[in-house]
Amino acid sequence: MSKRLAVPTALKDAIAAALPLATVVGMSGDEDTPARIDAGGRVVVRSGDPGEPEVDLSPLAYNYDQRISVELAALTESALDDMLGAIGAVIEADRTLGGLCTWVDATAPETEEIYVAGGAPPRGANVIVTASYTTPHPFT
């Protein structure tokens, strides 16, 4: 598996471990918007964009900063805050995602109310996780 896919997959697995009651999806075609949000919340991890690499010529290496979107939804502001805290802790605990990256960091969350007809609006947040890594070839 290429690092372009292995890195967000490892991030998804780490988030799922940190949020055992949440529905964590992504990276497998199951990213559709849910009709309802479960009590444990919902997280969607998108593959992201590795962008243009910085290239080292000797030895040849491609250095990427892949921006991975992590979308969260929770029933309350407090639940969303707890989810964000757990994700922050899992990133801080392993900044290399098990050795796949040289560094992983996240932006501050952008929060919003999610519109639903006839009910209290759940809360949502979007976080961009930037994973820095090096590959020997742009396809790996």
Side-chain angles (χ1 to χ4, degrees):
M1 176 184 296
S2 69
K3 279 199 178 184
R4 180 186 64 79
L5 292 178
V7 169
T9 300
L11 179 63
K12 176 188 169 189
D13 293 344
I15 291 171
L19 299 171
L21 300 178
T23 301
V24 181
V25 298
M27 305 302 303
S28 59
D30 55 359
E31 300 89 3
D32 288 338
T33 304
R36 79 186 269 256
I37 298 167
D38 295 329
R42 181 176 172 90
V43 180
V44 178
V45 179
R46 308 236 181 242
S47 61
D49 180 11
E52 289 295 317
E54 290 187 22
V55 180
D56 296 334
L57 297 176
S58 184
L60 185 60
Y62 296 84
N63 305 296
Y64 289 98
D65 291 321
Q66 186 165 346
R67 295 174 47 87
I68 303 162
S69 177
V70 179
E71 302 163 8
L72 296 92
L75 296 177
T76 66
E77 189 76 36
S78 176
L80 181 64
D81 195 52
D82 291 345
M83 291 171 71
L84 288 165
I87 291 172
V90 79
I91 289 172
E92 192 171 321
D94 183 7
R95 296 266 185 194
T96 67
L97 288 178
L100 283 173
C101 304
T102 53
W103 190 254
V104 175
D105 206 358
T107 63
E110 294 180 19
T111 60
E112 63 184 345
E113 287 185 350
I114 301 171
Y115 175 76
V116 292
R123 297 294 295 169
N126 190 44
V127 175
I128 300 297
V129 175
T130 302
S132 302
Y133 58 86
T134 301
T135 65
H137 189 279
F139 297 146
T140 57

